[in-house]
Amino acid sequence: MDVPISYYVVLSGLVFSIGLIGVLIRRNIIIILLSVELMLNATNINFVAFSSYLGNLSGQVFVFFALTVAAAEVAVGLAIIIALYRHSSSINIDDFRLLKW
Amino acid sequence: METFVFFYFASIIVLTAGFVVALKNPIYSALALLVMFFHVAGLFVTLHAEFLAIIQILVYAGAILVLYLFVVMLLNLKREEHFHGQFIVGLFLGCVLFAEAVLLVLKGETTLGGNLPDSAAPMELTQGNTESIGELLYSTYLFPFEVASLILLVAMVGAVILTKKGILEVKG
């Protein structure tokens, strides 16, 4: 394996930055959740790369846990989106500035 | 050869990640994310994490993304508005964060990179990747494993309560 580990770190940083930009500039809540998935995947790439280069399997176990949390986040997040859409028939983030209604 | 494979996977991952953020139609974004998940799984295979590659495809592409597509089609959105007003600020902040990461990697070459092996340490191949992860999961990480199951249970109950009509209204 002749790819230096810094390549993986830079790739992960790039994907994480794209996810962050997506969270900041999009208005659609679904796209914002997809961008959060991008950021989680970027950290997973980092975990697996370091786990492989250090010869330690704990990093892969942590990716497994990150996957579990991502699944839980998607279930609750999409449920919230559906509840919001039912309430005001919009999923534009600018329509939800009040904590109460 | 490995460098070529890495650059193929990396370029497709970055390209499709850009599509996820840039495309207007949420369905296209979700499909771009699907392609990205498959390429991340390929990257995992080249890093000798075969179990995680399969899990990535099964859980992310098979379950999570189908859930996204289901919700996108259920909500039946009209045309989406364009980017947020804080477009410039968001782009700037993201670029700053990426530059910071690159700077840290470049600076870390002398300190952190000195300790890291240049090539992957040969994994003990007395048993497969899946068996090793399973043993670790059921011995060292047994308690986090149980907590993860609890998180999934709470998420399931929460999702049902949030989406079921009438429960929240009666209490409120």
Side-chain angles (χ1 to χ4, degrees):
Chain A
M1 199 180 298
D2 43 19
V3 183
I5 193 163
S6 52
Y7 286 16
Y8 287 100
V9 181
V10 169
L11 168 68
S12 151
L14 192 55
V15 176
F16 190 91
S17 307
I18 292 175
L20 180 80
I21 292 174
V23 170
L24 287 177
I25 72 174
R26 292 305 295 254
R27 284 175 158 155
N28 191 331
I29 302 182
I30 291 181
I31 306 284
I32 290 177
L33 270 183
L34 286 179
S35 303
V36 172
E37 295 297 325
L38 275 184
M39 291 156 86
L40 283 169
N41 255 284
T43 59
N44 285 355
I45 292 172
N46 234 344
F47 266 129
V48 174
F50 274 101
S51 150
S52 173
Y53 275 71
L54 295 175
N56 187 348
L57 272 180
S58 295
Q60 300 189 13
V61 177
F62 268 85
V63 172
F64 185 77
F65 289 136
L67 223 72
T68 327
V69 174
E73 170 246 328
V74 165
V76 176
L78 289 178
I80 290 175
I81 289 178
I82 288 182
L84 280 178
Y85 185 76
R86 220 177 252 155
H87 179 266
S88 57
S89 63
S90 155
I91 57 166
N92 188 337
I93 197 86
D94 288 337
D95 292 345
F96 306 108
R97 330 179 193 197
L98 302 176
L99 280 178
K100 64 171 200 132
W101 50 65
Chain B
M1 183 58 198
E2 272 129 359
T3 317
F4 173 74
V5 171
F6 171 78
F7 275 111
Y8 164 69
F9 282 129
S11 53
I12 299 288
I13 285 173
V14 171
L15 196 72
T16 48
F19 280 158
V20 170
V21 173
L23 287 178
K24 271 189 187 175
N25 193 333
I27 294 182
Y28 292 163
S29 290
L31 291 180
L33 197 68
L34 178 72
V35 176
M36 192 208 133
F37 284 156
F38 274 105
H39 283 82
V40 170
L43 207 59
F44 285 177
V45 170
T46 64
L47 283 167
H48 303 293
E50 292 88 4
F51 173 69
L52 280 180
I54 293 297
I55 288 292
Q56 172 95 5
I57 291 177
L58 278 183
V59 174
Y60 263 122
I64 292 182
L65 214 69
V66 169
L67 208 60
Y68 271 115
L69 282 176
F70 183 72
V71 170
V72 169
M73 292 175 181
L74 181 77
L75 295 188
N76 189 20
L77 300 167
K78 293 136 291 195
R79 240 195 98 261
E80 197 215 335
E81 295 83 358
H82 207 231
F83 293 140
H84 205 276
Q86 55 199 23
F87 177 72
I88 304 292
V89 182
L91 214 59
F92 174 71
L93 282 179
C95 291
V96 166
L97 191 78
F98 176 62
E100 207 172 314
V102 170
L103 201 69
L104 277 177
V105 169
L106 288 181
K107 270 178 71 81
E109 288 274 74
T110 51
T111 55
L112 173 85
N115 300 331
L116 281 175
D118 260 350
S119 60
M123 293 269 194
E124 59 280 10
L125 284 175
T126 52
Q127 50 186 359
N129 181 253
T130 311
E131 285 92 338
S132 316
I133 289 185
E135 254 175 32
L136 208 58
L137 206 56
Y138 281 103
S139 58
T140 316
Y141 295 102
L142 183 61
F143 184 64
F145 184 68
E146 298 294 336
V147 173
S149 71
L150 199 67
I151 288 176
L152 286 178
L153 176 70
V154 170
M156 193 172 71
V157 174
V160 170
I161 287 184
L162 275 172
T163 46
K164 194 159 161 38
K165 256 185 189 150
I167 291 186
L168 290 180
E169 281 80 359
V170 166
K171 278 179 189 165

